[in-house]
């Protein structure tokens, strides 16, 4: 079975085994729906867990799993990643991408700028976080006004060359 990363467990929440996660998915309501099976990648194993409930608090999701009822059961999973089975992914339109696909791509305008290390959701849309050699990370809006093309096969993102963008 193949897996797709959708989140990282960043902390516990409360004493009842709830977990705070940083999501990488646009389909939160669908991914964290009650009864769905997710997988915690821990010590090189995929551990199946069943969603009991979730809610968004600021920029993180708080998820309750049926399998846990105490903070001591979940403390060890901090820093672990959450996955779904790859057969649950959607077919996307031509110009749509999963965040996971964009992370790790090389970013260019006229020359190599750096590597996309994260995609952040903000009220205005998605922002690419670009790690640049010897410079501060850059935030680039992920929309057609700034991104010319994405070549999945070549693992490259091409930006429109705007003066003052970087």
């Amino acid at each position: 079975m193949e897996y797709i990363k959708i989140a990282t467990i960043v902390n516990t929440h409360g004493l009842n085994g709830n977990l705070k996660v940083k999501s990488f998915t646009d389909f939160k309501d669908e991914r964290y729906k009650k009864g769905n099976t997710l997988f915690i990648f821990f010590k090189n194993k995929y551990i199946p867990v069943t969603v009991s409930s979730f809610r968004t608090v600021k920029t993180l999701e708080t998820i309750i799993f049926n399998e846990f009822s105490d903070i001591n059961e979940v403390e060890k999973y901090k820093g672990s990643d959450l996955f779904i089975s790859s057969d649950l992914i959607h077919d996307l339109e031509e110009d749509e991408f999963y965040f996971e696909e964009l992370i790790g791509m090389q970013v260019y305008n006229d020359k190599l700028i750096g590597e996309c290390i994260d995609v952040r959701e903000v009220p205005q849309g998605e922002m690419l976080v670009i790690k640049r050699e010897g410079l501060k990370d850059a935030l680039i809006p992920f929309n057609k006004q700034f991104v010319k093309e994405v070549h999945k096969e070549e693992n490259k993102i091409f930006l429109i060359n705007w003066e003052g963008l970087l």
Side-chain angles (χ1 to χ4, degrees):
M1 178 184 297
E2 289 188 38
Y3 300 93
I4 305 292
K5 182 168 130 179
I6 62 167
T8 297
I9 299 169
V10 295
N11 210 344
T12 59
H13 181 75
L15 300 175
N16 296 327
N18 305 346
L19 292 168
K20 284 186 182 180
V21 303
K22 179 184 187 311
S23 280
F24 307 120
T25 179
D26 279 342
F27 310 105
K28 295 174 186 173
D29 288 333
E30 187 172 324
R31 298 290 182 232
Y32 306 129
K33 187 166 61 173
K34 184 177 181 172
N36 279 6
T37 299
L38 304 179
F39 299 88
I40 299 173
F41 188 68
F42 183 71
K43 293 188 177 180
N44 292 321
K45 292 183 184 174
Y46 290 94
I47 301 164
V49 289
T50 307
V51 176
S52 175
S53 70
F54 98 97
R55 64 187 169 101
T56 301
V57 179
K58 295 185 182 177
T59 60
L60 300 175
E61 277 62 55
T62 299
I63 303 178
I64 300 171
F65 293 109
N66 291 340
E67 290 78 6
F68 308 121
S69 60
D70 186 86
I71 189 172
N72 297 317
E73 297 173 318
V74 296
E75 188 79 33
K76 63 185 175 188
Y77 297 122
K78 287 196 296 190
S80 298
D81 293 323
L82 280 177
F83 290 79
I84 59 168
S85 171
S86 63
D87 60 340
L88 296 177
I89 63 171
H90 296 89
D91 290 331
L92 299 177
E93 300 293 321
E94 183 179 335
D95 288 340
E96 293 181 324
F97 303 92
Y98 287 104
F99 291 173
E100 187 67 23
E101 293 176 312
L102 300 171
I103 296 171
M105 286 190 171
Q106 299 298 306
V107 181
Y108 293 83
N109 56 14
D110 292 336
K111 59 183 180 1
L112 177 64
I113 296 168
E115 178 182 345
C116 179
I117 59 169
D118 195 9
V119 180
R120 294 186 187 160
E121 288 185 277
V122 296
Q124 298 81 7
E126 290 82 25
M127 301 286 281
L128 301 175
V129 180
I130 312 301
K131 181 156 189 70
R132 302 183 295 169
E133 190 70 34
L135 298 169
K136 199 172 177 184
D137 292 350
L139 294 174
I140 307 293
F142 187 63
N143 60 46
K144 292 181 187 236
Q145 293 153 333
F146 298 97
V147 178
K148 187 188 316 183
E149 296 177 295
V150 176
H151 292 257
K152 285 199 292 191
E153 308 80 32
E154 299 174 24
N155 204 37
K156 295 179 180 178
I157 299 171
F158 294 94
L159 302 178
I160 294 172
N161 198 4
W162 281 78
E163 186 175 331
L165 180 62
L166 295 169

